[in-house]
Amino acid sequence: ITEIGNLPLGSPAGTYVSLSQLANLREMPSRFIILHDGARRVQTITCRVRGRSLSSFVAQAQKTLSARLQLPPGTYIDFAGAAQEQARAKRDLLMYSAIAGIAIILLLSIVTVSWRNLVLILLNLPFALTGGVFVGLASGGVLSIGSLVGFVTLFGITLRNSVMLISHYEHLVQNEGMEWGLEAAVRGASERLSPILMTALVTALGLLPLALGSGQPGREIEGPMAQIILGGLVTSTLLNLLVMPALALRFGRFEKQEEEI
């Protein structure tokens, strides 16, 4: 400090004074680096959000700061880091999922016999959504990236089970010559019982360790994903085996195709 205080400072008149004559020098804790980005000064403030979703915290922080904080000209606030990346990941995931969903519906419309059967296949999606939403609300109601991935995966498994059931109904009527009615509906559901249950059980057993250890470090995505899939599998499997045959019997159209000679 003494050597710094002895530094000479020249005036426009050509005289010199020491720095200690113009300023009080003392040692104190302060920032050891001044950050810049694009020739602009940057002050970084970090925080860790707990007990709520990151997106809701960022939205509230932006609203509060814009209402209470008056920044000088040339100064602005930019929210970056995990919040920005999470918002971009959610947007990309929803966009790609919508494109994939449209493509799947178009493919199913080609292979199904009638539009009624297509609606029956898609009707199983709300069954899965019920269990997934219930588990999401029970675990805190936070819609994270892992939860969205879980819903997308759950919808794929649910559609597969619906296709298995409806396609077997078509097989019984068209290939085995059964008349569509209560007997065909009961037989199709009973014959598809084992494959649908095996799919659900194998998936559930594989995801159960991830769901039980959801709060552990490193499972921020896998934990919520596993919980959503497990909750949706329970409701979709039960409703697919109990409610879907009744809906297919009431609204489905399964008719024999006449062979062309």
Side-chain angles (χ1 to χ4, degrees), residues 3-209:
E3 294 180 358
I4 295 177
N6 293 330
L7 289 176
L9 300 178
S11 66
T15 59
Y16 290 89
V17 295
S18 62
L19 180 61
S20 60
Q21 293 178 287
L22 303 177
N24 295 323
L25 303 179
R26 62 182 183 272
E27 186 176 359
M28 59 183 298
S30 181
R31 289 183 295 174
F32 65 92
I33 188 172
I34 300 177
L35 300 177
H36 289 78
D37 183 13
R40 295 172 296 182
R41 288 278 299 273
V42 176
Q43 176 62 51
T44 303
I45 301 176
T46 60
C47 63
R48 184 172 183 177
V49 181
R50 294 182 178 180
R52 61 183 302 182
S53 64
L54 185 61
S55 58
S56 64
F57 169 78
V58 171
Q60 182 180 357
Q62 291 175 337
K63 182 179 179 181
T64 303
L65 291 177
S66 61
R68 300 182 181 181
L69 187 61
Q70 299 295 330
L71 297 176
T75 305
Y76 63 93
I77 299 176
D78 184 21
F79 287 84
Q84 187 180 25
E85 295 300 325
Q86 187 179 78
R88 183 183 297 109
K90 285 185 177 180
R91 184 172 59 253
D92 294 342
L93 180 61
L94 292 176
M95 180 180 65
Y96 295 142
S97 299
I99 296 175
I102 294 174
I104 291 173
I105 292 176
L106 292 176
L107 291 176
L108 289 176
S109 63
I110 296 174
V111 298
T112 51
V113 178
S114 66
W115 64 270
R116 287 175 176 265
N117 298 344
L118 175 61
V119 173
L120 287 174
I121 293 175
L122 299 178
L123 195 60
N124 204 22
L125 294 181
F127 298 164
L129 187 64
T130 302
V133 170
F134 179 78
V135 172
L137 293 176
S139 60
V142 178
L143 186 62
S144 61
I145 295 296
S147 301
L148 291 177
V149 174
F151 277 114
V152 174
T153 307
L154 177 61
F155 288 164
I157 299 174
T158 303
L159 283 178
R160 177 185 179 275
N161 293 338
S162 300
V163 170
M164 288 174 59
L165 184 60
I166 299 301
S167 63
H168 192 59
Y169 284 152
E170 295 176 352
H171 172 77
L172 292 178
V173 174
Q174 296 177 8
N175 296 348
E176 298 191 14
M178 292 189 65
E179 294 291 337
W180 177 241
L182 180 60
E183 182 182 357
V186 173
R187 177 183 170 183
S190 61
E191 291 180 352
R192 292 295 97 183
L193 175 64
S194 297
I196 293 176
L197 284 181
M198 287 301 297
T199 301
L201 288 176
V202 170
T203 306
L205 291 177
L207 295 175
L208 187 59

